Amino acid sequence: LIGSAQFACDTERRMNGHVKNMHFQQFMETAATLLSLLLLMTVDSTKTVAASTNQQCGNLLQQTLKITRIVHKESGDLIKTYKAAQGEMSELFCKVSVNDIPDPNISGLDPPARIASIYTHLQAFLPHFKRVYKQQTDLQSPGSPLLKELTRVWDRTESLASFINTFYQSLFPNLPIPEPAGGPTTLPPAQNVFQQKVYGCVVLKTYKDFMSNVSKELRNIKSKVCTKRTPINAF
Amino acid sequence: KIISSNIKCQWEAVGHQTEAVPTNYTLKLSSTSFFSDKIFTASILGPVNNTTIDLNFFPNHMELEIWVVAQNELGKEESEHLIKPANCFVKTKPPSVAVISEAVFPTCLVMNWTSINKIYLETIYEIRFCPLGSQKWFYVPLADTSSYIQSFRLQNLQPDTVYVTQVRCKYNKKHCGYWSDWSSNVTERTPEDLPKSKPDVWIITSEEGINKRQIEFICKDPEFSNGRIRRFNITIEKQKDSIRNGTWEIIPVNRSLTDGSSSKKQITPLITILLDDEESVTVYVTAINSVGASPQAKLIISPKTRGKCPLEKMEVQSHNGQLFLSWKPPNRTVSDFEYVVEWVSDGERNWQREDGKTTYTAIKGDLEKFVHYRISVYPIYGKLVGKPVHVHAYFEQGVPSQGPSVNLSGDPGCYTAKLEWDEIPLIKRRGFITNYTIYYRSGTETRGITVPSNTTSYTLTSLSRNTKYDIWIKASTIRGSVNGSNHSFTTLKYAPGEIEGIVVGVSLGFLFVVLMTMLLCFCKKDVIKDNFWPQIPNPGDSTIGNWSPDYPLKAEAPRENCLSGISVLNVDVCDAKCVFEEDKASLPLKKDKYLSEEHSSGIGGSSCMSSPRQSVSDSDEGGDMADTTASTIQYSSVVASSGYKGQNPSSLPQQSIFSRSESTQPLLDCEENHDTMVQEGSRQCFLRQPCFTHNAGNENATDSNDFNPLEMEQQEVLDFCSLEEDTEHTAPADCQSDDWIPAPVSSYMPQLGGYRPQ
């Protein structure tokens, strides 16, 4: 606006004393004024859109955060149920180190990368949930509450991953969400009962830690991703 | 707690349905936010209109789309799609509530509860509470509980009161979710606190002797007791000393723990004192609970004679299940002025206080039907009890439960009977008696008499004598009547004095008759005497006189046992008695026998009454013997010959001169009963005279030892047969008998021969 106003003044100075084409000058002035007004209106509308978009972003983020908390809580309850179902020395199972378990930490430098990391980690845990469920089906009775809880956490993890995907795409429509690196998840080789028990405990514990990290991350990125400079398509 | 993964859906079929074309309903559920394009379905055949979908887990915070597809042979139709967050379809279970009280906060209760975890469903709550027993709930404003809270403090409650509390919850989103059911009742009592109001002190006054009254102080718990009252402290201050000299007396209260739902306050008796009518006392009372003492209540009892002006125009009316009072206030009042309305029945007493401006109120206590109440309104002038006004009333009247028992007062009369009855006991009266109706029935006729209600006796009149009556009394109120017990009585046949009157009358009449008869007898005693007791001259007193009979007489041979040797005597009756007495001295007679005969004959007296008369023999002129010897009767004749002694009956003078003896002796009975004597056929020879030994019927007649020879001779001489007085004298055949035949005491044989009654 200032630039256009400056340009109009310069033009008028050059025209002082010389009335060559007064009509053109008047037309240009009017045009400039109109253009300024249009620009103002555009900026204003952008703010409104940005405000409503921010609210939607915030709601979506809030929703994601709530689901994450549920999963986090249920993962903690699941570990208790798991340990109770494994018999003696179950407290020691979760302290054993097991390979090929997804990392509970979130990677990435910027919000899009970190949200993508959350998604890929969730996807990476799903095969392990499936394996643990299968192993515990052999070790537990059919009506064991552990199996039911495992199923619930597994399904909720799937839904969370889908929700994260939707959230990512709504925030970053032009950025495809990456798939887990390194191809499909690598599962450990066949295990004996003890190993199965250890494996299951480590998977669940790692998942619980991961969900804790996800909750923290989502709380931190709210101010970063749900701002006016970040356009969001209507959801 | 988690939310169930089952979602139940219900729909309503629209349009005509028929079993011929069944409809299949398919419930569909999807969520684009997490299930991608996956759709959950559940099918069911109509006419069932609900089904359930199991999602394995409840998709909290995710949006769901739910719809129903109806399909039959004719086509398919979809319902509207419900698109809402999943939590909007949740109906939570009620929270689990616990309530605690804190001693430091007697007006508070803290409610704690547990509900679903906030991460699943953030809920809001609604709380309500009420005192135990009350049906009115108090709701906590929703604004105070519209957040995810797990506890709440109820405030401004009444101390020492049990409250019932409930909580329910819902998803914390406007127009979304379903309220849960109310939680189960949880009760808790608030702690006790200091009493906030004064105890309600009142009095019961009764007369106790002359110029004395007994005053019993009673008390109700303060309106805001804030706890169980354990005791009352009372002090009495007498005004005469104008100094406060009362000491506090503790009155313990023995009462079980009562809950706050009891609206009827118990009355505690405090203390009873005797007070002179001229005395005045002030009473101070405080109520004590576990926390402390209440404000002090004060009551002043004024001297009896200095009572203030009473209230006027007090009226009672029962209306809409309440008893209303109205009265005219007194002319003068004070700033601290109020009324006490008291109602007393048999065994119950209660009162309530009213503001000084009130003149119309309803009794707030529980009044019983058919119970008599004495309602009083006392003006209280600055704690000073004034003179009351009383009225009697029934909350509701009824028919008396028993009728009056009637009895007779005394004995019934012939035409009247006095009845009396007792009033029906107050407890059985059940209403104001408007009147009594007395019924009395004899036979089939029944009559009734109505008398006022203040009557307890009545005299029935116009009854029939000697008639049985059944009586009973009917008592009436405005609600109806009841008959009392029957009583029967029979009127007298005769009036109480009637028989006596009759007897007295008859007796008086008889007495009058007797008196008149006696008077007549007295007046005509001579006539009677002549008729009944003719004078029979005593031969012993007679003198021989000459008598010429009017007709020739046959000379009869004197019979041995007849008139032979009869001497004619002139004897005065009274002289005869003297002669008798002389003879008595000279003649060795048995006195007793003689006197007895004299008494038995009873003639001596009467004969003594006759005037002395001269015998016929003394009177040569003859004259009218009857005149001169009116009362003398000749009972013997003497044949004049050579003398009467030892005359020889065989010689009969050709011309006899009879000397007739006259005597005033009355006639003997056999002269009266001559026929009887003849019929008996016995000759009864006896003497009947007062001065002579009566040997008729005398058993001792044969005992000659007891008789004087002269007497015996006289007896011989005087032995004669009874003859009829006016008839020809013929000697009964029996007289021929030589033997003396005992004759009845009172009869004798009339003399033979003619004689002319004097």
Side-chain angles (χ1 to χ4, degrees):
Chain A
L1 179 62
I2 296 175
S4 55
Q6 186 66 35
F7 176 74
C9 289
D10 290 338
T11 304
E12 189 177 354
R13 261 198 314 274
R14 281 194 293 267
M15 292 295 291
N16 283 338
H18 302 282
V19 180
K20 289 182 180 180
N21 194 351
M22 295 298 290
H23 294 289
F24 179 75
Q25 291 176 357
Q26 288 179 353
F27 172 76
M28 289 302 292
E29 290 174 359
T30 307
T33 307
L34 287 173
L35 190 63
S36 301
L37 287 173
L38 281 171
L39 192 61
L40 276 171
M41 289 172 65
T42 304
V43 170
D44 188 62
S45 65
T46 305
K47 278 185 178 179
T48 305
V49 170
S52 63
T53 306
N54 289 339
Q55 188 176 6
Q56 290 175 2
C57 173
N59 291 342
L60 197 58
L61 183 60
Q62 190 67 24
Q63 213 168 347
T64 307
L65 185 57
K66 287 179 182 179
I67 297 172
T68 303
R69 287 172 179 162
I70 292 175
V71 177
H72 180 220
K73 177 193 177 295
E74 287 185 347
S75 63
D77 295 338
L78 179 59
I79 290 175
K80 294 176 185 175
T81 307
Y82 182 88
K83 287 180 180 179
Q86 304 309 313
E88 295 179 0
M89 299 173 64
S90 58
E91 290 294 329
L92 301 175
F93 294 158
C94 293
K95 296 179 181 178
V96 177
S97 175
V98 176
N99 295 327
D100 299 326
I101 302 297
D103 188 5
N105 298 312
I106 299 171
S107 61
L109 297 175
D110 54 11
R114 296 187 72 80
I115 295 173
S117 171
I118 292 172
Y119 173 74
T120 55
H121 274 78
L122 284 172
Q123 293 285 34
F125 272 103
L126 288 175
H128 293 277
F129 271 110
K130 184 176 178 180
R131 184 166 180 175
V132 170
Y133 179 81
K134 190 175 178 182
Q135 290 174 347
Q136 293 301 317
T137 302
D138 297 333
L139 297 176
Q140 306 297 326
S141 59
S144 170
L146 173 61
L147 299 177
K148 198 173 182 181
E149 281 192 47
L150 272 171
T151 305
R152 185 165 61 242
V153 173
W154 183 6
D155 291 338
R156 213 182 280 279
T157 302
E158 279 188 333
S159 67
L160 180 59
S162 172
F163 206 84
I164 292 291
N165 186 20
T166 305
F167 177 58
Y168 181 86
Q169 290 183 4
S170 64
L171 287 177
F172 315 110
N174 298 320
L175 297 175
I177 192 162
E179 290 299 325
T185 303
T186 304
L187 295 176
Q191 299 160 318
N192 57 26
V193 173
F194 177 80
Q195 289 172 332
Q196 290 175 4
K197 290 184 178 182
V198 170
Y199 169 72
C201 192
V202 172
V203 167
L204 296 179
K205 185 178 179 300
T206 306
Y207 182 72
K208 177 177 176 290
D209 296 337
F210 169 69
M211 292 310 300
S212 177
N213 295 331
V214 170
S215 296
K216 292 176 186 175
E217 188 63 31
L218 290 176
R219 284 196 293 269
N220 291 334
I221 66 173
K222 181 180 179 182
S223 60
K224 296 176 183 176
V225 298
C226 295
T227 59
K228 59 181 180 181
R229 293 189 179 183
T230 308
I232 296 178
N233 293 335
F235 195 42
Chain B
K1 295 179 182 178
I2 60 172
I3 300 174
S4 169
S5 60
N6 293 327
I7 297 179
K8 182 179 179 181
C9 183
Q10 184 174 335
W11 58 90
E12 183 181 342
V14 177
H16 177 70
Q17 305 293 317
T18 174
E19 291 183 2
V21 183
T23 304
N24 188 42
Y25 298 96
T26 303
L27 174 65
K28 294 187 177 181
L29 182 148
S30 70
S31 174
T32 57
S33 56
F34 67 95
F35 291 129
S36 303
D37 296 328
K38 185 177 181 181
I39 297 177
F40 295 85
T41 61
S43 295
I44 196 159
L45 195 63
V48 178
N49 60 350
N50 64 83
T51 189
T52 304
I53 288 181
D54 188 2
L55 301 177
N56 295 327
F57 74 97
F58 188 79
N60 298 85
H61 310 295
M62 297 182 184
E63 197 164 85
L64 298 180
E65 184 178 359
I66 302 175
W67 68 101
V68 177
V69 176
Q71 185 176 7
N72 60 13
E73 294 176 359
L74 303 177
K76 183 170 69 174
E77 194 65 49
E78 254 185 38
S79 69
E80 64 173 327
H81 289 222
L82 289 178
I83 303 175
K84 286 185 178 180
N87 288 354
C88 289
F89 299 110
V90 175
K91 179 179 178 181
T92 55
K93 286 186 178 179
S96 299
V97 183
V99 181
I100 58 174
S101 63
E102 301 164 305
V104 293
F105 298 110
T107 61
C108 296
L109 286 175
V110 178
M111 298 178 65
N112 296 308
W113 61 84
T114 57
S115 61
I116 191 166
N117 197 311
K118 183 180 179 180
I119 62 172
Y120 293 107
L121 191 73
E122 189 170 331
T123 49
I124 60 173
Y125 303 93
E126 188 175 22
I127 300 172
R128 67 180 186 180
F129 62 94
C130 68
L132 185 66
S134 170
Q135 302 300 321
K136 183 183 177 185
W137 290 99
F138 294 92
Y139 289 82
V140 175
L142 272 176
D144 295 341
T145 56
S146 294
S147 60
Y148 186 80
I149 56 176
Q150 300 292 290
S151 67
F152 189 82
R153 179 183 296 274
L154 298 173
Q155 300 182 74
N156 298 323
L157 305 177
Q158 287 299 318
D160 191 44
T161 304
V162 177
Y163 286 91
V164 180
T165 58
Q166 288 182 333
V167 181
R168 66 175 183 175
C169 57
K170 189 181 80 70
Y171 178 44
N172 184 15
K173 192 167 184 181
K174 215 170 184 180
H175 307 301
C176 190
Y178 302 94
W179 280 105
S180 69
D181 296 333
W182 287 103
S183 63
S184 55
N185 288 354
V186 177
T187 59
E188 184 60 38
R189 180 186 289 273
T190 50
E192 290 193 0
D193 196 8
L194 268 178
K196 289 289 188 291
S197 59
K198 305 172 186 177
D200 192 353
V201 184
W202 193 232
I203 56 171
I204 302 174
T205 308
S206 56
E207 297 296 326
E208 188 74 18
I210 301 173
N211 296 329
K212 270 195 182 295
R213 47 197 169 142
Q214 176 180 289
I215 297 179
E216 180 183 4
F217 292 96
I218 53 178
C219 185
K220 282 196 280 192
D221 291 354
E223 185 178 357
F224 302 104
S225 299
N226 295 339
R228 185 171 66 92
I229 299 298
R230 283 158 167 75
R231 66 178 190 274
F232 291 97
N233 289 351
I234 181 170
T235 184
I236 298 175
E237 187 179 283
K238 294 195 175 180
Q239 300 300 317
K240 61 180 180 180
D241 296 333
S242 65
I243 53 173
R244 190 158 181 168
N245 55 5
T247 56
W248 286 98
E249 188 171 338
I250 298 173
I251 310 295
V253 175
N254 293 326
R255 198 183 301 162
S256 59
L257 189 65
T258 56
D259 54 18
S261 63
S262 175
S263 60
K264 189 174 181 180
K265 288 187 176 295
Q266 293 193 1
I267 298 173
T268 305
L270 297 178
I271 196 170
T272 303
I273 62 170
L274 283 176
L275 198 64
D276 292 338
D277 287 347
E278 295 299 319
E279 271 189 303
S280 169
V281 292
T282 302
V283 170
Y284 301 91
V285 179
T286 55
I288 316 293
N289 65 8
S290 65
V291 179
S294 71
Q296 195 174 78
K298 177 182 175 182
L299 196 65
I300 304 173
I301 311 301
S302 62
K304 189 176 181 182
T305 54
R306 276 188 281 161
K308 300 247 181 182
C309 298
L311 310 173
E312 296 176 350
K313 295 181 182 178
M314 182 171 169
E315 294 179 353
V316 179
Q317 184 184 14
S318 181
H319 182 62
N320 283 347
Q322 280 188 299
L323 204 60
F324 289 89
L325 309 175
S326 65
W327 61 88
K328 184 181 174 185
N331 295 332
R332 294 176 297 165
T333 62
V334 297
S335 58
D336 183 17
F337 179 72
E338 62 177 351
Y339 297 100
V340 168
V341 177
E342 178 189 62
W343 58 98
V344 181
S345 71
D346 184 26
E348 181 190 349
R349 177 187 296 266
N350 209 339
W351 70 92
Q352 67 190 42
R353 291 182 184 267
E354 297 290 343
D355 183 73
K357 296 176 183 176
T358 304
T359 59
Y360 179 79
T361 185
I363 290 181
K364 298 179 178 62
D366 295 328
L367 299 179
E368 295 183 33
K369 296 179 183 179
F370 317 132
V371 173
H372 173 268
Y373 288 95
R374 179 173 175 262
I375 301 173
S376 310
V377 177
Y378 291 79
I380 310 294
Y381 305 90
K383 310 301 176 191
L384 181 72
V385 180
K387 275 192 175 179
V389 59
H390 307 285
V391 69
H392 297 269
Y394 282 87
F395 174 55
E396 183 176 331
Q397 297 192 49
V399 179
S401 59
Q402 78 176 36
S405 297
V406 63
N407 287 302
L408 282 180
S409 174
D411 295 326
C414 286
Y415 306 104
T416 63
K418 187 174 182 184
L419 312 177
E420 61 181 14
W421 60 93
D422 294 328
E423 286 187 334
I424 301 171
L426 206 59
I427 198 170
K428 297 189 178 182
R429 206 173 294 175
R430 293 160 62 99
F432 292 113
I433 303 296
T434 53
N435 57 62
Y436 294 104
T437 306
I438 303 169
Y439 290 99
Y440 58 103
R441 176 179 62 206
S442 66
T444 57
E445 184 185 7
T446 303
R447 294 182 182 179
I449 301 171
T450 301
V451 297
S453 59
N454 57 358
T455 309
T456 58
S457 65
Y458 188 79
T459 302
L460 295 174
T461 58
S462 304
L463 303 178
S464 302
R465 62 168 62 217
N466 195 29
T467 306
K468 183 181 178 185
Y469 285 91
D470 294 324
I471 54 171
W472 67 93
I473 295 181
K474 179 179 76 174
S476 302
T477 65
I478 59 172
R479 290 292 181 180
S481 305
V482 64
N483 289 329
S485 57
N486 276 21
H487 182 76
S488 298
F489 69 92
T490 304
T491 51
L492 296 178
K493 188 174 184 180
Y494 299 103
E498 194 173 355
I499 296 178
E500 288 81 353
I502 294 173
V503 170
V504 168
V506 171
S507 299
L508 287 176
F510 179 75
L511 187 63
F512 178 75
V513 169
V514 169
L515 286 175
M516 291 305 296
T517 305
M518 289 181 64
L519 189 63
L520 186 65
C521 290
F522 180 75
C523 292
K524 300 293 181 182
K525 67 177 183 298
D526 294 333
V527 176
I528 295 171
K529 182 180 176 184
D530 289 339
N531 284 297
F532 289 97
W533 299 281
Q535 289 292 325
I536 302 175
N538 187 359
D541 294 330
S542 61
T543 56
I544 296 175
N546 295 322
W547 174 68
S548 299
D550 293 335
Y551 50 90
L553 297 173
K554 291 184 198 176
E556 294 179 0
R559 286 167 287 207
E560 290 182 359
N561 294 329
C562 294
L563 297 170
S564 61
I566 298 173
S567 61
V568 177
L569 300 172
N570 289 327
V571 60
D572 182 35
V573 176
C574 290
D575 290 340
K577 188 175 180 181
C578 298
V579 171
F580 163 68
E581 289 178 353
E582 290 175 358
D583 289 340
K584 197 163 80 168
S586 59
L587 298 177
L589 294 175
K590 268 195 175 177
K591 184 177 181 182
D592 291 341
K593 186 172 72 172
Y594 195 89
L595 290 176
S596 64
E597 291 175 355
E598 183 184 23
H599 286 295
S600 63
S601 65
I603 299 172
S606 59
S607 59
C608 281
M609 289 175 65
S610 60
S611 59
R613 53 193 69 86
Q614 206 160 5
S615 65
V616 175
S617 59
D618 289 340
S619 172
D620 294 333
E621 288 81 13
D624 188 359
M625 302 302 175
D627 294 336
T628 55
T629 58
S631 60
T632 61
I633 300 172
Q634 183 180 353
Y635 67 89
S636 63
S637 61
V638 176
V639 177
S641 63
S642 59
Y644 67 86
K645 276 197 174 179
Q647 285 182 343
N648 189 358
S650 59
S651 62
L652 296 173
Q654 296 179 353
Q655 188 176 4
S656 60
I657 299 173
F658 292 91
S659 297
R660 181 173 179 178
S661 64
E662 297 177 353
S663 172
T664 60
Q665 302 304 316
L667 283 173
L668 299 177
D669 288 347
C670 65
E671 290 188 347
E672 300 174 357
N673 300 320
H674 174 68
D675 293 341
T676 304
M677 293 290 186
V678 174
Q679 287 177 2
E680 288 178 358
S682 62
R683 177 184 173 188
Q684 297 174 352
C685 302
F686 56 87
L687 292 172
R688 185 168 179 250
Q689 59 179 349
C691 297
F692 290 92
T693 302
H694 194 298
N695 59 359
N698 191 343
E699 295 179 358
N700 295 326
T702 56
D703 187 2
S704 59
N705 294 329
D706 293 335
F707 286 89
N708 190 283
L710 177 62
E711 183 182 8
M712 289 185 64
E713 191 175 349
Q714 290 177 345
Q715 288 179 353
E716 277 185 75
V717 171
L718 298 177
D719 187 15
F720 62 92
C721 298
S722 61
L723 293 173
E724 286 188 5
E725 197 175 334
D726 295 328
T727 57
E728 292 182 4
H729 302 286
T730 56
D734 292 343
C735 289
Q736 305 292 332
S737 160
D738 294 333
D739 296 328
W740 282 85
I741 300 175
V745 175
S746 60
S747 59
Y748 66 98
M749 299 286 287
Q751 66 176 15
L752 290 174
Y755 66 88
R756 192 171 57 177
Q758 301 297 320

